[in-house]
Amino acid sequence: MELVGLEELRAARQRIAGVAVRTPLVPAPWAGDGERRLWLKPENLQPTGAFKTRGAYNRLAALSDEERARGVVAQSSGNHAQAVAYAAGLLGIKALIVMPDTSPAVKVEGTRSFGAEVLLVPPADRDTVPAELAERHGYVWVPPYDDRYIIAGQGTVGLEIAEDAPAELDTVLVPVSGGGLISGTAAALKLTRPGIRVVGVEPELAADAQASLRAGERLTWPVADTYRTIADGLRTPSVGELPFRHLTAYVDDIVTVTEDEIRATVALLARRGRLVAEPSGAVAPAAYFHRAAEIGGQAVAAVVSGGNIDPALLAELLAA
């Protein structure tokens, strides 16, 4: 199973041009401490509010006419769901999205607003029902992370960082769930700016990727454990097979942050950075603020992966 290469990453960039936003690398002078500097990559500015737009459109746009006619099925806690629904709508493809019944209402409503049919299931069934539906109805399954086209699409984040980063950039922080974003981003960076360290960030309550990287094998955490974190987009119990190969090849380390640190960073990004981030989108910046000794680096970029936060939760975190 070959790793995603530069040719695939560049093809993905061409395919998603005009659909996914080329987000800027924004300096955060308010976050400097005299020794370190921070830049933010605001993927919350994508049309669906998260980086997932990149991979979903890249996957669907590459389908054959016969595959498009069959329709697609996908599973997601919300951001991949909205991205697939959005891409399917643009391409005239029927989409059925399987979502955990614990998904934030804002994400369920967003998915339906893009024209997809939503099927709510218990969290433990989220990853098994799509395969059953694909077999029964002939849908094309669009996985959230364990797919070359998905990884290449997400990897356009890394291509943009490599092109926009100042020469002194030495570390990039990327959130980790199933591993699609960090796989593609790390591949893009290591193949174009090999001197940059790539560090993944997870909630400590859903740290299966860190455990896997350190053990040298894919480990699975119980759904009951990963669903404890407020970062609903990072509750995947294990990284995908292809993403794990990218992690072992390209990722320098994975660190974790606490629930309180995630909550505080959501509020900080809103107040100082003027960026609305969901908890999952705040974990990478949280590592900059709370794990300086572990991540190292003096010139750091952090991916704000999404901004689909329930308004009531945002109000609660801002009031804390």
Side-chain angles (χ1 to χ4, degrees), residues 42-61:
E43 286 295 293
N44 57 315
L45 301 181
Q46 291 296 341
T48 62
F51 74 95
K52 293 281 192 176
T53 304
R54 298 172 182 267
Y57 191 84
N58 190 49
R59 173 65 275 183
L60 267 62

Side-chain angles (χ1 to χ4, degrees), residues 51-52 75-80 107 126-127 144-146 154 174-183 200-203 206-210 212 218-219 221 226-227 229 231-241 243-244 247 254-255 280-281 283 305:
F51 74 95
K52 293 281 192 176
Q75 78 268 29
S76 169
S77 64
N79 286 335
H80 181 61
K107 294 185 177 182
R126 184 191 74 165
D127 294 330
Y145 45 82
D146 210 346
Q154 321 302 27
V174 187
V176 187
S177 181
L181 175 61
I182 195 168
S183 294
V201 189
E202 288 184 297
D208 58 281
Q210 183 193 65
S212 297
R218 290 173 64 235
L219 302 176
W221 279 32
T226 62
Y227 268 68
T229 179
D232 62 276
L234 306 182
R235 292 171 176 166
T236 303
S238 67
V239 296
E241 293 183 13
F244 183 67
L247 261 65
I254 297 177
V255 302
S280 303
V283 297
S305 58

